[in-house]
Amino acid sequence: MIAKLICLIAVLTGFAFFMGYNLDNKCDIWLFTKTLKDVPVFMNSLISFAIGVMCALPFAFVRKIKTQKKMEEREAEREEAAKRKASKKAAKASKAPGEDKASGAQASSDTGSKTSGNTESGKTKREKILERIQKLKKQSHPSETEQEAE
């Protein structure tokens, strides 16, 4: 902050010296239909600088708007990633202790969901795992209807 203030004072001091030394230097300025005679040189420089600043301002504002949009998009992506991470943690926390062993056994006996043909593309990973667990339970424990039939 203090460095900016010192730079501003230095620039204004330099500009004041430039104006003071060029008060006697005059030039003519042509403005399409009118010619201004005996205009001090520093006025020409000052007006040119002001016009340049006005031409640069729209570009600065457009860049600022684009930067803000990119920052908002990145923030939204970060929030979305955080939500996904939180939901994964919640899913892991809600799993039963024996669930990992059952899904591991199914994964070793099944080469994959595509080869088994039992999964649909719209199902989530959790639903697929639950189906595998139910199949394992049916395989290891015969159903009550089968026991009654015997």
Side-chain angles (χ1 to χ4, degrees):
M1 179 70 180
I2 190 96
K4 288 182 181 180
L5 179 63
I6 292 171
C7 288
L8 178 66
I9 292 170
V11 168
L12 290 177
T13 305
F15 186 70
F17 278 114
F18 177 73
M19 283 180 8
Y21 286 116
N22 287 303
L23 282 174
D24 293 334
N25 296 334
K26 310 277 186 199
C27 66
D28 294 341
I29 299 176
W30 177 71
L31 298 173
F32 298 106
T33 58
K34 187 176 182 180
T35 302
L36 303 174
K37 298 213 181 254
D38 295 329
V39 177
V41 172
F42 77 88
M43 288 299 290
N44 183 14
S45 299
L46 180 63
I47 292 170
S48 297
F49 180 75
I51 291 171
V53 167
M54 285 191 285
C55 289
L57 279 176
F59 294 105
F61 287 130
V62 167
R63 183 175 176 106
K64 184 177 181 180
I65 291 170
K66 285 182 180 179
T67 305
Q68 284 179 340
K69 285 182 181 178
K70 285 182 182 179
M71 294 294 282
E72 289 172 0
E73 289 174 0
R74 288 179 185 166
E75 186 64 31
E77 289 174 0
R78 287 182 187 140
E79 288 176 4
E80 188 176 311
K83 286 180 183 178
R84 278 188 265 138
K85 193 173 186 180
S87 65
K88 285 181 182 179
K89 285 183 180 180
K92 286 181 181 179
S94 67
K95 279 187 179 179
E99 203 169 304
D100 291 333
K101 293 179 184 176
S103 63
Q106 178 66 25
S108 63
S109 66
D110 234 17
T111 56
S113 61
K114 290 182 182 176
T115 57
S116 66
N118 294 331
T119 59
E120 296 175 11
S121 61
K123 293 183 180 178
T124 64
K125 189 174 182 179
R126 183 180 172 100
E127 290 173 338
K128 292 175 185 177
I129 291 171
L130 289 173
E131 283 183 6
R132 288 180 184 171
I133 292 169
Q134 290 173 353
K135 287 179 184 178
L136 280 174
K137 285 181 181 179
K138 287 180 183 178
Q139 290 173 357
S140 61
H141 302 290
S143 67
E144 293 177 9
T145 56
E146 291 176 357
Q147 288 177 356
E148 290 175 2
E150 293 176 357

